[in-house]
């Protein structure tokens, strides 16, 4: 699903994942909702917007005993990598990542 970047994008992603996982184990669904909300919020907050950059894509796949979720954004405007400073274990933000959970 491709979502338009705005204040409600994270909420919309949670709604989609919730519907896609409606028949899944409650703990799996709760974890997936939390992770997608965080990843989408990070993409909206930290990825530069602009013309043809106002989107975030959410994908959900099912494999043999696992669920894989992807959050895809348009990335940076340059090819050069951009790394944030390393964070310790107690910071509220800066971790990023992707999710895959066993069924």
């Amino acid at each position: 699903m491709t979502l338009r970047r705005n204040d409600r994008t994270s909420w919309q992603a949670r709604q989609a994942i919730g519907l896609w996982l409606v028949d899944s184990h409650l703990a799996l669904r709760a974890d997936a909702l939390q992770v997608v909300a965080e990843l989408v919020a990070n993409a909206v907050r930290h990825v530069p917007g602009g013309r043809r950059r106002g989107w975030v894509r959410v994908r959900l796949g099912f494999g043999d005993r696992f669920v894989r979720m992807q959050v895809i954004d348009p990335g940076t405007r340059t090819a050069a990598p951009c790394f944030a400073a390393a964070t310790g274990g107690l910071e509220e933000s800066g971790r990023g990542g992707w999710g895959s959970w066993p069924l």
Side-chain angles (χ1 to χ4, degrees):
M1 153 181 267
T2 301
L3 302 168
R4 193 178 298 239
R5 287 174 48 165
N6 58 45
D7 311 7
R8 296 175 47 88
T9 308
S10 184
W11 178 85
Q12 291 170 335
R14 282 178 57 92
Q15 295 303 306
I17 293 296
L19 289 173
W20 292 338
L21 294 177
V22 72
D23 293 328
S24 297
H25 189 274
L26 187 59
L28 168 72
R29 187 170 180 236
D31 287 348
L33 293 173
Q34 181 64 39
V35 170
V36 77
E38 183 70 23
L39 292 177
V40 170
N42 286 344
V44 169
R45 180 176 179 190
H46 298 292
V47 175
R51 184 180 163 121
R52 297 186 183 164
R53 301 179 57 77
W55 58 271
V56 174
R57 188 166 295 133
V58 177
R59 291 183 181 168
L60 189 67
F62 299 90
D64 186 28
R65 302 190 46 79
F66 73 92
V67 173
R68 180 176 181 165
M69 182 172 41
Q70 296 176 300
V71 175
I72 303 158
D73 60 55
T76 62
R77 294 180 185 266
T78 65
C82 177
F83 298 102
T87 62
L90 299 177
E91 281 79 8
E92 291 284 327
S93 65
R95 293 180 191 93
W98 54 273
S100 182
W101 301 271
L103 292 176

